[in-house]
Amino acid sequence: MIILIGSEKGGVGKSTLATNLAVLFATYGNDVVIVDADRQGTCANWAQDRSENENVKIDCVRQYDNLKPTLDSLKKRYKIVIVDCQGRISQEMRTGLLSADIVIVPFKPSQWDLDTLPSMLNVIKEAKDFNEKLTSYAVMTMAPTNPSMDDLNQAKDFFKNYDDITLLNAAICERKIYKEAASMGLSVIELDNQKAINEITGVLNDLLKNENE
């Protein structure tokens, strides 16, 4: 399975989602590789830090420009391939979508983020013309922990206008633990913060549930 994580907007938690999902998949016994297609190298740096501790290893390769040949090759060797694209519509994103089984679009709970989604959805729609198996999901990230906020419901209203993408019910909140985990090459599921653990496992469970329906 190839999962591409991409957004037209930077700073929405793509690398956080990629690394945490990778570790979670690996703990379930899957061979996992991250393809870092962002020239900032966030995931590659995280993987290097991780290689220095005794936790389960996550392979990571850096690849730019045309991703399709690399992804098609890696899919034969790994159960799960997770692609972290840079925060813009790029050649890496467009070519990666041609091989991906799933695309996840993270977004922050702000009108500015929602305003960037239509152009991203157009790119996904174009990719589906050539890759019919591609399914698309959106997930709210960096959401406020204040339970009085109604951001998810507002996002649900937004996504009612789009049939080609499914908004996951699970969301990831703005928590310091995600940064702390990243700085050590870890996932939040390897640290003692049950709320964060519930969030990332909720995203994966919600994703797999939708895929199996």
Side-chain angles (χ1 to χ4, degrees), residues 97-156:
L97 287 171
L98 298 179
S99 291
D101 300 291
I102 295 171
V103 56
I104 303 176
V105 183
F107 67 96
K108 293 192 292 187
S110 74
Q111 189 59 50
W112 288 350
D113 274 60
L114 292 176
D115 287 344
T116 68
L117 289 175
S119 58
M120 180 68 192
L121 297 180
N122 283 336
V123 172
I124 294 172
K125 186 175 181 180
E126 291 172 0
K128 288 183 177 181
D129 289 338
F130 301 93
N131 181 7
E132 295 181 355
K133 70 179 185 301
L134 180 66
T135 55
S136 51
Y137 301 92
V139 60
M140 181 181 292
T141 57
M142 304 172 124
T145 56
N146 185 345
S148 66
M149 301 294 287
D150 198 29
D151 299 292
L152 187 56
N153 286 334
Q154 293 178 20
K156 286 180 179 178

Side-chain angles (χ1 to χ4, degrees), residues 1-2 69-79 81:
M1 179 188 296
I2 300 175
T70 298
L71 298 184
D72 290 344
S73 175
L74 289 173
K75 189 174 183 179
K76 299 174 184 177
R77 297 162 47 196
Y78 292 88
K79 183 74 172 179
V81 180

